Structures are given as structure tokens and as C-alpha cells.
Amino acid sequence: MQLHNRIVIGLVAGATAGVAAHALAPQADWVLWLVDNVAQPVGDIFLRLLLMTVIPLVFASIVLGVAGFGDLRRLGRIGGKTLGYFLLSSALSAVVGLTLVNVFEPGAGIDEATRSQLLAGYGSDAAEIGSREIDVGVDMLVEIVPRNPFRAAADMDMLSLIFFALVFGAALTLIPRDRAEPMIRVIDALGQVVVKIIDIAMKLAPYGVFGLIFAVTARFGWELLQQLGMYVAVVLGGLVLYGLIGLSLLVRVFGGYDPIAFWRRSRASIVTAFSTSSSSATLPTNIAVAQGELGVPPPIAGFVLPLGATMNMNGTALYEGVTVLFLAQVFGVDLSLGAQVLVAALAVITAIGAAGVPGGSLPLMMMVLATVGAPPESIALILGVDRILDMSRTVLNVAGDLTASLFVARSERAAAARARASAASSDGTARAEIEASR
Ligand code: ASP
């Protein structure tokens, strides 16, 4: 049986077992024991095996991608297209989220008692998230340039690592070919070793996914879902809508690819994203899917996808838009159209800055809340249901990265065809001139 089918079975079986355990023996000691001592550790080991490959994978694939482009003009062109697409698609998804939250007004249905109960229950978690350090504005830009690339790698500071890898790859194309060649071969081998490790780790995936999903569902309190049902429905509905219509259209129009085939072939990425809640942990699978299933050339997949795992988060942008407005509604903060445009812009920017790990966007969202005048601690209200929303938004985050790689691959093919055509025609003109001069 193919691996992704086995992973899907792990997912469904884990969810079923978890839901059953929660329904039949809610919060029973033995269920909690199983979660803490079996399911969660197995899931975490799987997650860590993937995460342990991310630093060398990002470095190797970006350097090889940039070196594979050959010259810096091509790097500039592809980089520009990639970033442009990231911004466009994230803005689109944020607008979808904001529209839905305005139409359905999920915040209007939360009464005073529910509000204070949730605030009290999750207040300390919110305070802990709020205390995490984040850089925004000019500082964020400065911090992207690492003082020490090894420190950036050790801290999993992906933007800085990407920056270093881009500069490293670019410099490789600037030194003499015979000097660059051995380095490229070493990094190529590094990339292959990492891919092998991922291959081995993925053999654990069906069990890891079972464990991760079981741990979430067995512990989950459905009561919260009743209280926050409308909010959860708006986020999930928005994600489904944006995925099925928005992303499918982008795949068709910009990627020139059949959306149904796209979703079918991306299954492995979708399941991995859903069960790990982490774009970074899904990166290895995403690169394999883009190259093996969608036919994206390796340098492009190796360049666009690591960038996307950190910078392109369509699902997160949508989720942030909905959540900020929802909390503003609950706390009676009236947001004008101008303020909502600001929320959309901030959702896109913070989605770029958010780490591709579970709950990576939460500290940044607190900053957005503060900026528009809503209390940042109000995030406590939604923490209890965040995991399921995190799993779902991460699916769209990684699917969005795949659509970006399809778009860049297609437009590069078109550019190459144009270049060939113009070379052929100038060749033809040159030949004609020679003929004429004879
Ligand atoms: N978990 C998300 C991701 O990895 C980030 C977030 O929205 O919290 O893509």
C-alpha cells in the first residue's frame, strides 16, 4: 500500500479512537495516561524527526536552487515573482476571512458569562504567549540579517537562515565555476542525505500521525466547541471556501494545472500538515510532493517551498482576519473599514513573520489585536479551540506554497520558451544576414 494511504488510515484511525475514548471515558485516568505516555511521545518523535531535517534541508535546497538558476538576474526574477504571489494570495485569503466574519458576526453570540469564564480559564496561557519575544517594523528587517548563521540555525530562526542561504547561493554563482563545483557537490550530497533521513522518518508517519491525532481528540473538550461554535464554523468554512474556490482558481489560472488533480496529488502534504500543525515539519513532504507528484523542477521547488513554509501562510492570514474581528466584536470594539484594511495588511505581514510551528502565529496576532485597540489578552477566549483551527489553517498554508511553486514553474517554462524562440529567431536573422552578405 502506498505511504500516503497508510498515513490517511493512521489519521482516520487515530481520530476515531480519540473521539471514542473521549466520548466513552471522558478525561479518564487511563486515557490521559495513554495520551501522555504513548500517543503524544510517538507523535512527538515523528514530529521531531521531521523538524531535525529542516535546517539542513532549507539550507541545501535554497543554495542549490539559487546556484541552479545560474545567474543573479534569474534569481531576482524568480524571487520577485515568488514574493508577489505570496503577498497576493495571502491578501486574497485575508479578505475572504474578513468578509465572512462581517457577514456572520460570530462575536455577537458570545454572552458575558462565557466570555469571563473563558478569559479566566485560559488567561495564564495567553499571558505566556504574550511574553514571547517578537520583532516588528524596522527591527524585524534588521534581524533578518543574521549576525551569526549558526546561531540563526540553532534558534530555528528561519528568515535569517533563508537570508544566509540566499546570499551563500548567490555568491557561489559569482566565483569561478571550477571552485564552486566541489561545494555544490557537497551541498548536493547533504541534500540527498537529508532526503534519505526524511524517507526513513516517513515510514513512522502512519503511527506518528495516529498518535498526534489521538492525543488531540482524546483530550478535546467538545463543550468549548458549543460555546465558540459559530466562530469555529466561520474559520473552518472560510478555509474550506478559500481552499476549494480561491486556491483551486489560482492553481488553474496561475499554475495552469487541473485543480482536482492538484488536490489529489497533494494528499501526502495535506495529511502531514493537518496532523503536525507545522509548515516547517511538512516542508520535506511538500518538496517531495512538488517534485514527484506535481512535476515542479527541483531548483524551483527547492527555492519556493522553503521560502513559502516561513513566509506564505494563506490559512493563517484568513484565520487572523477572522479572529481579530471576532474578538473585537466580543469586546465591543467597533472596527471601521479603514481599521479592517489595516487588519488585513497586518494579517498578511504577520503571516510572513510567523514561525511555521504549531501556534506560531499566536504571539503575532496579539500584536495585531493591540494595534487595532482590542485587548491582546482576549486571545485567551479562543485558545481552547486553537489546535483544531491550527491543524486546518496549516493545510492551506502548505497547499498555498504548492500553488506558488506551480505558478513559478509555469511562468519560468514560459520565459524559457520565449528565450528559446527569440534566440532561434535572432539566430535566423543572423543567418539571413550572413546569406545576404555573401
Ligand atoms: N501552525 C501554522 C503553520 O505552521 C502557523 C500558525 O498559523 O500558527 O503554518
Side-chain angles (χ1 to χ4, degrees), residues 187-350:
I187 298 177
D188 186 40
L190 172 71
Q192 287 190 23
V193 170
V194 172
V195 167
K196 192 80 225 157
I197 298 177
I198 294 160
D199 253 10
I200 300 168
M202 286 308 281
K203 299 223 160 36
L204 245 184
Y207 311 100
V209 165
F210 181 100
L212 288 171
I213 294 293
F214 181 86
V216 172
T217 46
R219 251 191 293 208
F220 201 72
W222 302 104
E223 315 74 48
L224 267 179
L225 218 46
Q226 279 161 13
Q227 290 164 342
L228 296 172
M230 189 63 177
Y231 158 72
V232 173
V234 171
V235 175
L236 294 182
L239 291 174
V240 170
L241 197 73
Y242 177 72
L244 290 187
I245 300 179
L247 276 186
S248 295
L249 273 175
L250 291 177
V251 165
R252 165 71 81 209
V253 176
F254 287 100
Y257 205 89
D258 174 27
I260 297 180
F262 170 77
W263 289 111
R264 227 195 20 246
R265 288 167 173 260
S266 310
R267 231 172 340 169
S269 293
I270 294 171
V271 184
T272 313
F274 187 74
S275 46
T276 60
S277 278
S278 165
S279 296
S280 292
T282 312
L283 178 61
T285 315
N286 233 19
I287 292 182
V289 164
Q291 291 176 9
E293 301 282 335
L294 304 175
V296 176
I300 291 181
F303 177 79
V304 175
L305 294 173
L307 245 60
T310 318
M311 305 176 73
N312 185 39
M313 298 194 175
N314 291 183
T316 295
L318 187 149
Y319 154 83
E320 282 193 29
V322 174
T323 307
V324 170
L325 246 70
F326 165 74
L327 293 174
Q329 284 168 358
V330 174
F331 286 85
V333 181
D334 203 13
L335 293 185
S336 63
L337 188 64
Q340 297 200 20
V341 172
L342 178 66
V343 171
L346 287 175
V348 173
I349 295 171
T350 50

Side-chain angles (χ1 to χ4, degrees), residues 86-98 100 231 234-243 246-247 250 263 273 279 308-324 344 347-348 350-352 354 361-362 365 386 388-403:
F86 286 174
L87 289 177
L88 177 95
S89 57
S90 300
L92 191 68
S93 66
V95 168
V96 170
L98 287 175
L100 289 178
Y231 158 72
V234 171
V235 175
L236 294 182
L239 291 174
V240 170
L241 197 73
Y242 177 72
L247 276 186
L250 291 177
W263 289 111
S279 296
T310 318
M311 305 176 73
N312 185 39
M313 298 194 175
N314 291 183
T316 295
L318 187 149
Y319 154 83
E320 282 193 29
V322 174
T323 307
V324 170
V348 173
T350 50
I352 294 176
S361 56
L362 296 180
M365 200 169 60
D386 189 60
I388 183 80
L389 301 181
D390 198 2
M391 291 158 56
S392 312
R393 64 184 182 254
T394 307
V395 169
L396 287 204
N397 291 349
V398 305
D401 300 342
L402 287 176
T403 66

